[in-house]
Amino acid sequence: MTMLYDLTVPAYQNGLKALSGELSKASAWGTDNGIGELQFAVARLAPDMFPLASQVRFTCIQALQPLSRLGGIAIPELPEDATDFAGMQEQIAATLAVLDEIDRAALGDDMERAVGFDLPNGMIFDLSAADYVLDWAQPQFYFHRVAAYAVLRHMGVPLGKADYVAYMMRHLRPGTAPAA
């Protein structure tokens, strides 16, 4: 039986671990190329988009919100953007620590139960648990996850799809990796 946990927590853990690896790579690349941590933290794709530090924080928040909305689980607040790589890594580590403690049954298996939530602008949504996960929670997580990746690429960090889906390497059939 598919549990709501199965549709959320493992994917968030994979994405956050990959994001952590990308930030580590960006930190080293920035040091080698004279780009400071604050430059990365405030970098954005467009003037009306949030900067990297916000995208990382929002990725973490989007991984935590389903725990609260689906399981009534208390989640930590992440009210401030980090100003450096260490702070962004701390946010990811804190989020992963919460995700690591969630019991698989905690979010339940009732895909049809009602889930409602409101946004700061006053909009209120009423969905089934399945629609919430598939139409809101997952897209929100990946939107901010991809935005963070895109900011790092925009800054020149040599990342590729293998970095974005680093967790897939555990599934690689032996002998099928391309020669370096």
Side-chain angles (χ1 to χ4, degrees):
M1 170 185 298
T2 299
M3 305 286 283
L4 290 164
Y5 174 99
D6 300 320
L7 299 176
T8 55
V9 174
Y12 299 153
Q13 290 168 320
N14 286 339
L16 288 166
K17 289 174 186 174
L19 179 56
S20 176
E22 293 163 12
L23 292 173
S24 293
K25 194 170 184 178
S27 177
W29 183 86
T31 298
D32 292 346
N33 290 278
I35 300 174
E37 292 188 41
L38 184 57
Q39 286 175 278
F40 276 108
V42 301
R44 58 184 77 218
L45 294 176
D48 64 341
M49 289 184 74
F50 288 106
L52 174 64
S54 296
Q55 299 297 352
V56 170
R57 181 170 60 90
F58 293 157
T59 302
C60 293
I61 289 168
Q62 295 303 325
L64 294 171
Q65 279 183 344
L67 306 178
S68 175
R69 291 181 177 152
L70 296 170
I73 298 165
I75 57 172
E77 299 257 341
L78 297 174
E80 305 273 332
D81 287 348
T83 57
D84 57 19
F85 285 115
M88 288 183 257
Q89 293 284 18
E90 286 171 17
Q91 289 176 335
I92 292 170
T95 303
L96 285 169
V98 172
L99 294 173
D100 288 344
E101 294 298 316
I102 300 302
D103 180 89
R104 186 172 177 272
L107 306 181
D109 64 357
D110 183 356
M111 300 291 182
E112 296 306 316
R113 83 169 177 229
V115 176
F117 66 95
D118 59 303
L119 299 179
N121 66 6
M123 295 171 72
I124 300 172
F125 294 90
D126 295 307
L127 305 96
S128 69
D131 287 341
Y132 167 72
V133 169
L134 298 173
D135 294 340
W136 182 263
Q138 290 286 22
Q140 290 296 312
F141 175 81
Y142 286 112
F143 175 87
H144 295 291
R145 166 81 182 89
V146 168
Y149 173 89
V151 169
L152 294 172
R153 290 287 291 133
H154 177 71
M155 293 295 290
V157 180
L159 298 172
K161 190 176 281 188
D163 297 294
Y164 185 81
V165 292
Y167 52 88
M168 288 299 295
M169 291 302 113
R170 72 177 182 258
H171 303 291
L172 182 65
R173 183 176 295 165
T176 64

